[in-house]
């Protein structure tokens, strides 16, 4: 079925993995003749790819649907993704939603499109999450200078605060061969940086099939993958998204330190710096291992950027527990924090724990860690003054400036020049500006743009 002349708009909530999947769904629409519109413009179809990591992500869906229908009250509205898998009935009660698609159905969205009239009742198509036992590859193209490449999905961990295994199922991976083919296809589109994404990418290697005893088979691992990707021509940089500290083995760190293309940037979830809290969260490490990982990285890559996820207000977190976390993070040579305030999630073990932290206290602890993060980032940027790096400049501009990133994720700002978009430039970092970027002097152009995006 062709839809020539029809229009579609997309809105993505949440992680890089969701962006890669939205982009892949969009390509399916374009192949059928749809034209893309901005989500703030009238369109025939609106697709909302949801997240359910935090309670706010759930609540946001209702207002997004309302905004879409304000542009075109007759539009077909589809809500897909993690929230759609976890709470389809809740979404079906949002006025104007035509279809809700869970984990196994979202890539089949075109099969459910009805442009003749809006559905009288919201259709729900989702499965038992145990049925999400196959892998669908995805990558983003066209929206950014870099591409998000999905290599893994699902999670076998049982962290007590997390709904992701309920929304995405068990851990499963693409094949190395297919990842390489996708990376080559991305390179043909002129993209110079790929960010590897997944739910738990350090667990890469679980194949699509079960053996006769119904046990998952793991024939390769994350180190095998990044070694293969390091040889792909046409991509200048590979960046690893969030990776669990217990899966970030010394061999991976050592490989990145000597890699041709993998950049010195890690994002490593901590969640708590107190071992008792880590136990309540059912994390698979203690803080001593985390400190060892940071020290190993910095010993081999002193300029490496390290981001950290941390949760405040988890049930049972006393003032002393929080201060333990605060001082532990303060002692680490890390670069920035992503601070999450704990929110109660249905069907998670944490909701049954005692020692509920009052909302006001959660907010206070969040603010303290965000202030610490700002200090850490400032110190990291100060350490980069007068150093030379290759910067990949973004296509977007902000007023009279444009921005790019060094391999170690320093945000760089220079006067606007359209010729810089999607090029690598050798720059010297000068000083930190008032907006938290670094001003830079361009020394020479290294790789010109050949972008078709």
């Amino acid at each position: 079925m062709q839809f020539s002349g029809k229009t579609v708009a997309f809105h993505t909530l949440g992680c890089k993995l969701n962006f890669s999947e939205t982009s892949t769904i969009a390509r399916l629409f374009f192949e059928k003749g749809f034209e893309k519109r901005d989500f703030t413009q009238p369109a025939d179809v609106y697709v909302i790819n949801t997240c359910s990591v935090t309670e706010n992500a759930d609540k946001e869906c209702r207002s997004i649907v309302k905004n879409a229908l304000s542009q075109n009250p007759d539009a077909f509205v589809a809500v897909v993704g993690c929230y759609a898998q976890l709470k389809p009935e809740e979404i079906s009660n949002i006025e104007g939603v035509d279809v809700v698609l869970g984990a196994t159905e979202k890539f089949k969205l075109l099969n459910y499109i009805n442009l003749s009239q809006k559905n009288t009742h919201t259709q729900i198509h989702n499965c038992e999450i145990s049925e999400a036992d196959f892998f669908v590859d995805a990558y983003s193209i066209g929206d950014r200078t870099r591409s998000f490449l999905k290599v893994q999905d699902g999670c076998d961990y049982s962290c007590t605060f997390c709904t992701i295994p309920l929304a995405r199922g068990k851990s499963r991976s693409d094949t190395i061969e297919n990842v390489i083919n996708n990376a080559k296809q991305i390179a043909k589109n002129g993209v110079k940086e790929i960010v590897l994404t997944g739910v738990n990418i350090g667990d890469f290697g679980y194949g699509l099939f079960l053996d006769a005893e119904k046990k998952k088979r793991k024939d390769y691992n994350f180190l095998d993958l990044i070694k293969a990707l390091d040889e792909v021509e046409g991509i200048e940089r590979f960046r690893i998204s969030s990776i669990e500290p217990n899966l970030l083995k010394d061999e991976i760190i050592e490989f990145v330190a000597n890699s041709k293309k993998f950049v010195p940037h890690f994002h490593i979830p901590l969640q708590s710096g107190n071992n008792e809290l880590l136990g309540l969260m059912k994390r698979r490490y203690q803080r001593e291992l985390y400190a060892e990982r940071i020290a190993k990285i910095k010993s081999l890559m002193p300029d490496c950027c390290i981001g950290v996820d941390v949760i405040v207000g988890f049930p049972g977190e006393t003032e002393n527990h929080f201060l333990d976390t605060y001082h532990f993070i303060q002692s680490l040579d890390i670069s920035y924090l992503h601070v999450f305030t704990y929110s109660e999630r249905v069907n998670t073990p944490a909701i049954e724990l005692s020692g509920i932290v009052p909302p006001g206290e959660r907010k206070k602890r969040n603010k303290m860690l965000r202030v610490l993060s700002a200090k850490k980032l400032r110190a990291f940027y100060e350490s980069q003054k007068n150093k030379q790096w290759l910067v990949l400049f973004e296509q977007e501009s902000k007023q009279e400036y444009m921005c790019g990133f060094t391999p170690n994720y320093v945000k760089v700002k220079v006067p606007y020049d359209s010729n810089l978009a999607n090029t690598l430039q050798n720059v010297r970092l000068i000083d930190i500006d008032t907006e938290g970027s670094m001003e830079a002097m361009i020394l020479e152009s290294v790789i010109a743009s050949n972008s078709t995006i």
Side-chain angles (χ1 to χ4, degrees), residues 312 339-341 362-370:
V312 297
V339 185
F340 298 90
T341 300
R362 299 183 204 184
K363 185 177 180 180
K364 185 189 83 171
R365 294 174 187 179
N366 183 296
K367 183 177 180 180
M368 287 179 65
L369 284 182
R370 283 189 288 112

Side-chain angles (χ1 to χ4, degrees), residues 343-380:
S343 60
E344 286 75 6
R345 313 298 289 151
V346 176
N347 296 325
T348 59
I351 202 170
E352 304 294 335
L353 295 176
S354 60
I356 295 173
V357 180
E361 185 63 27
R362 299 183 204 184
K363 185 177 180 180
K364 185 189 83 171
R365 294 174 187 179
N366 183 296
K367 183 177 180 180
M368 287 179 65
L369 284 182
R370 283 189 288 112
V371 170
L372 178 59
S373 177
K375 292 178 179 178
K376 287 285 189 182
L377 186 62
R378 178 87 188 191
F380 176 63

Side-chain angles (χ1 to χ4, degrees), residues 11 13 45 49 73 94 96 118 129 173 192 206 215 228 231 244 265 270 292 302 321 323 413 435 444:
H11 189 96
L13 296 168
V45 178
N49 191 1
I94 300 176
K118 289 189 69 61
I129 199 58
S173 306
K192 293 183 174 60
Y206 282 117
K215 294 180 180 179
E231 303 299 325
E244 292 288 308
H265 176 206
L270 171 64
E292 289 174 8
H321 288 145
L323 290 176
K413 186 175 80 173
E435 296 181 350
E444 60 179 322

Side-chain angles (χ1 to χ4, degrees), residues 27 135-139 141 147 149-150 174-189 194 229 232 235:
R27 288 194 294 276
F135 184 85
V136 178
D137 63 340
Y139 57 86
I141 286 288
S147 173
L149 173 57
K150 174 183 173 184
D174 205 347
T175 64
I176 291 180
E177 180 183 16
N178 198 57
V179 173
I180 297 300
N181 288 338
N182 282 338
K184 291 178 178 178
Q185 187 61 43
I186 292 168
K188 290 179 181 178
N189 283 270
I194 289 177
L229 285 170
V232 173
I235 299 297

Side-chain angles (χ1 to χ4, degrees), residues 414-426:
V414 298
Y416 180 77
D417 179 351
S418 61
N419 293 321
L420 295 179
N422 200 34
T423 68
L424 282 164
Q425 306 285 338
N426 193 7

Side-chain angles (χ1 to χ4, degrees), residues 31 54 110 127 166 173 203 243 245 302 350 378 399 420 438-439:
E31 289 170 3
T54 67
L110 279 162
C127 64
L166 302 175
S173 306
D203 203 31
I243 183 169
R378 178 87 188 191
Q399 297 178 344
L420 295 179
M438 287 204 75
E439 298 172 350

Side-chain angles (χ1 to χ4, degrees), residues 139-248:
Y139 57 86
S140 63
I141 286 288
D143 297 323
R144 301 167 185 265
T145 302
R146 65 183 63 86
S147 173
F148 301 136
L149 173 57
K150 174 183 173 184
V151 301
Q152 184 273 341
D153 201 352
C155 187
D156 292 344
Y157 288 10
S158 54
C159 300
T160 56
F161 53 81
C162 187
T163 60
I164 290 177
L166 302 175
R168 284 188 171 269
K170 292 291 187 179
S171 180
R172 55 208 187 273
S173 306
D174 205 347
T175 64
I176 291 180
E177 180 183 16
N178 198 57
V179 173
I180 297 300
N181 288 338
N182 282 338
K184 291 178 178 178
Q185 187 61 43
I186 292 168
K188 290 179 181 178
N189 283 270
V191 175
K192 293 183 174 60
E193 178 176 307
I194 289 177
V195 183
L196 304 183
T197 68
V199 175
N200 188 359
I201 63 173
D203 203 31
F204 177 87
Y206 282 117
L208 310 185
F209 306 103
L210 304 177
D211 63 21
E213 297 179 358
K214 302 299 182 183
K215 294 180 180 179
K216 288 199 291 187
R217 185 180 70 244
K218 194 167 188 177
D219 296 327
Y220 37 80
N221 59 33
F222 188 66
L223 181 60
D224 296 327
L225 174 67
I226 61 177
K227 284 182 176 179
L229 285 170
D230 208 43
E231 303 299 325
V232 173
E233 296 182 3
I235 299 297
E236 301 300 323
R237 294 178 177 175
F238 287 97
R239 199 176 294 274
I240 299 171
S241 63
S242 181
I243 183 169
E244 292 288 308
N246 52 300
L247 297 174
L248 182 56

